[in-house]
Amino acid sequence: MGTDGVKEEELESEAKVDGETASDSESRADLVAPPAPVDDTPEVLNRALSNLSSRWKNWWVRGILTLAMIAFFFIIIYLGPMVLMMIVMCVQIKCFHEIITIGYNVYHSYDLPWFRTLSWYFLLCVNYFFYGETVTDYFFTLVQREEPLRILSKYHRFISFTLYLTGFCMFVLSLVKKHYRLQFYMFGWTHVTLLIVVTQSHLVIHNLFEGMIWFIVPISCVICNDIMAYMFGFFFGRTPLIKLSPKKTWEGFIGGFFATVVFGLLLSYVMSGYRCFVCPVEYNNDTNSFTVDCEPSDLFRLQEYNIPGVIHSVIGWKTVRMYPFQIHSIALSTFASLIGPFGGFFASGFKRAFKIKDFANTIPGHGGIMDRFDCQYLMATFVNVYIASFIRGPNPSKLIQQFLTLRPDQQLHIFNTLKSHLMDKGILTPAAEDE
């Protein structure tokens, strides 16, 4: 009983030294004054739109900069998969910076040791792990051909763990007695940010390797839903949708859904006819470059479908020719318009918790990069899960690449096993073998 009393007294004194409780920390965060709103609209637009009301001025600013971002999106698509991957990396770093900066500003008065250094160090470690896995998976032949890369690939996970462990030990050594609780808050802040931003941006790149269409269509559906929900809400919005985002309306939510489904069907039809969009992105060892040339799968070949009787009686068509991928696009666009916005609501709740309007002021009228990509990360995860569950099958080229790196006795064993299996199934006959 006496020991328990001593422990309780020690804990109380520790809490006093620490000087913070969860409620104290939250109340201090609440005391941080939100930054004063700054008009970051370019001066040229300010002068051109000076005669308009603030509502219509905001509409034009958002519209003009949205068109500029769409044009930039088309340019990077034209530049190819390597540029797209670099852009994804840059977006990831900027989103990470915006979220970490919020944490740093909210708790700035505590001057935590090594907080920013360790945050960026953990970002480096996680990127090394994920991109190392990607290089090993998609550049297998190149990795096996180069001795330094082969060694790094073989011990990749051990190296990654060692790097992370180093950062973990640095964090423990940085702990200061009067800031324990707050330092662990920020340790969790950094790791949740890594989970939200880095992990999901890695999935974006995996989707890209499945084919440009799996990258472009989902992202375009989210963009379309964002634009159309805003347009329907701006002109017809009357009924509030959710308290976290007071400007969101049911009219915009429903109008955005139908517009996005139609847009997804049309975009999928156009893109399914081009090999550069539907073929997986693969690395060509002969030319040391990416290639997107293949024989399109059945998913991207026109097929005839019978129309249900109810719809037939309305439109008069018995059959319709469409790509199977268009059916999958309905699932993608439905998720983008019905579930994707919850990524934005989550971000709105986060910003309200820290009394900020936007993650940053990078894009006038739109906020920070994270404000534009809050729904995209959720969409990327869904697409990756969808491909793994309903689309992807064994990849023969990867199997052959791995087969060729085995020892001769292992290759012979696999050959004999495969031959026996094919003969048992009647695909390979003894007579064919003799020939």
Side-chain angles (χ1 to χ4, degrees):
M1 185 71 178
T3 306
D4 292 340
V6 172
K7 287 184 177 178
E8 288 178 3
E9 290 178 2
E10 289 178 353
L11 288 172
E12 288 178 4
S13 63
E14 175 69 21
K16 290 178 181 177
V17 173
D18 193 14
E20 285 289 330
T21 63
S23 59
D24 292 337
S25 174
E26 188 171 340
S27 63
R28 286 196 178 221
D30 290 342
L31 289 174
V32 176
V38 177
D39 186 7
D40 52 4
T41 307
E43 187 61 30
V44 176
L45 290 179
N46 268 331
R47 287 200 300 267
L49 305 174
S50 58
N51 295 327
L52 299 177
S53 65
S54 59
R55 182 170 182 262
W56 280 100
K57 178 182 176 181
N58 182 62
W59 190 87
W60 278 103
V61 170
R62 286 177 64 94
I64 292 170
L65 292 174
T66 296
L67 291 175
M69 287 188 286
I70 292 173
F72 177 70
F73 183 56
F74 280 122
I75 291 172
I76 61 175
I77 289 172
Y78 174 77
L79 294 176
M82 180 60 79
V83 175
L84 280 173
M85 283 186 277
M86 296 301 296
I87 292 295
V88 170
M89 169 71 84
C90 293
V91 168
Q92 172 215 115
I93 293 173
K94 187 65 174 71
C95 290
F96 181 83
H97 171 259
E98 290 177 358
I99 299 176
I100 289 298
T101 300
I102 292 172
Y104 184 78
N105 290 336
V106 168
Y107 300 106
H108 183 268
S109 59
Y110 293 93
D111 195 22
L112 297 180
W114 297 4
F115 167 55
R116 278 196 164 179
T117 302
L118 283 174
S119 296
W120 288 101
Y121 177 80
F122 282 125
L123 176 67
L124 178 66
C125 293
V126 175
N127 271 307
Y128 175 81
F129 171 74
F130 279 126
Y131 280 91
E133 293 283 311
T134 300
V135 168
T136 302
D137 191 23
Y138 291 100
F139 302 84
F140 187 80
T141 305
L142 175 64
V143 168
Q144 294 300 317
R145 193 172 62 196
E146 302 292 336
E147 185 65 19
L149 292 177
R150 190 181 65 79
I151 294 173
L152 288 174
S153 173
K154 183 178 181 180
Y155 301 106
H156 172 68
R157 297 198 174 186
F158 180 79
I159 295 172
S160 300
F161 177 71
T162 302
L163 290 172
Y164 178 82
L165 201 60
T166 302
F168 178 81
C169 293
M170 289 169 63
F171 168 74
V172 173
L173 292 174
S174 73
L175 291 173
V176 179
K177 191 172 185 179
K178 61 181 179 179
H179 296 321
Y180 285 158
R181 187 172 288 120
L182 185 58
Q183 286 181 286
F184 278 101
Y185 288 163
M186 303 317 297
F187 184 77
W189 182 296
T190 298
H191 281 67
V192 171
T193 304
L194 292 172
L195 177 66
I196 293 174
V197 175
V198 182
T199 304
Q200 297 188 77
S201 65
H202 176 69
L203 298 181
V204 172
I205 293 178
H206 267 244
N207 299 340
L208 174 62
F209 275 105
E210 294 295 329
M212 296 272 280
I213 196 168
W214 291 105
F215 174 86
I216 297 171
V217 170
I219 287 180
S220 299
C221 284
V222 172
I223 294 172
C224 173
N225 182 71
D226 191 34
I227 294 172
M228 298 312 297
Y230 177 77
M231 297 286 286
F232 276 95
F234 185 87
F235 289 107
F236 309 109
R238 296 291 182 274
T239 313
L241 175 64
I242 187 171
K243 290 183 178 179
L244 282 173
S245 296
K247 293 183 180 180
K248 298 288 193 301
T249 64
W250 276 104
E251 291 81 1
F253 187 72
I254 295 171
F257 164 68
F258 286 107
T260 304
V261 171
V262 173
F263 171 80
L265 285 169
L266 295 175
L267 180 63
S268 299
Y269 181 83
V270 173
M271 295 187 66
S272 294
Y274 294 90
R275 293 189 180 189
C276 60
F277 292 132
V278 304
C279 291
V281 178
E282 296 180 344
Y283 184 77
N284 189 313
N285 294 294
D286 297 328
T287 60
N288 288 325
S289 62
F290 288 102
T291 59
V292 285
D293 188 27
C294 69
E295 189 63 32
S297 66
D298 292 338
L299 199 62
F300 304 105
R301 294 182 180 180
L302 282 171
Q303 298 184 21
E304 197 169 86
Y305 294 91
N306 293 321
I307 295 179
V310 177
I311 301 178
H312 164 63
S313 62
V314 176
I315 64 175
W317 297 350
K318 291 184 178 180
T319 61
V320 62
R321 283 176 61 81
M322 59 187 299
Y323 295 99
F325 180 79
Q326 289 180 271
I327 300 174
H328 294 290
S329 76
I330 297 175
L332 299 179
S333 55
T334 298
F335 184 92
S337 53
L338 297 185
I339 307 299
F342 281 84
F345 301 152
F346 176 86
S348 296
F350 179 88
K351 289 182 284 188
R352 282 178 173 272
F354 295 100
K355 302 183 184 301
I356 56 176
K357 182 177 182 293
D358 296 310
F359 283 95
N361 58 354
T362 309
I363 311 170
H366 291 268
I369 299 296
M370 191 64 198
D371 290 287
R372 294 298 91 211
F373 283 83
D374 47 12
C375 301
Q376 295 287 4
Y377 285 128
L378 189 62
M379 186 71 192
T381 305
F382 171 73
V383 174
N384 191 267
V385 171
Y386 189 88
I387 292 173
S389 302
F390 304 108
I391 305 298
R392 184 188 296 134
N395 190 324
S397 62
K398 289 184 180 179
L399 291 175
I400 292 173
Q401 288 176 0
Q402 295 176 353
F403 176 78
L404 294 176
T405 60
L406 298 175
R407 298 194 310 269
D409 60 311
Q410 293 174 323
Q411 294 179 355
L412 189 60
H413 173 70
I414 293 176
F415 171 76
N416 290 327
T417 302
L418 181 61
K419 184 176 69 172
S420 300
H421 175 72
L422 294 175
M423 290 179 66
D424 291 341
K425 295 186 69 173
I427 299 175
L428 184 65
T429 62
E433 181 189 358
D434 295 338
E435 292 177 5

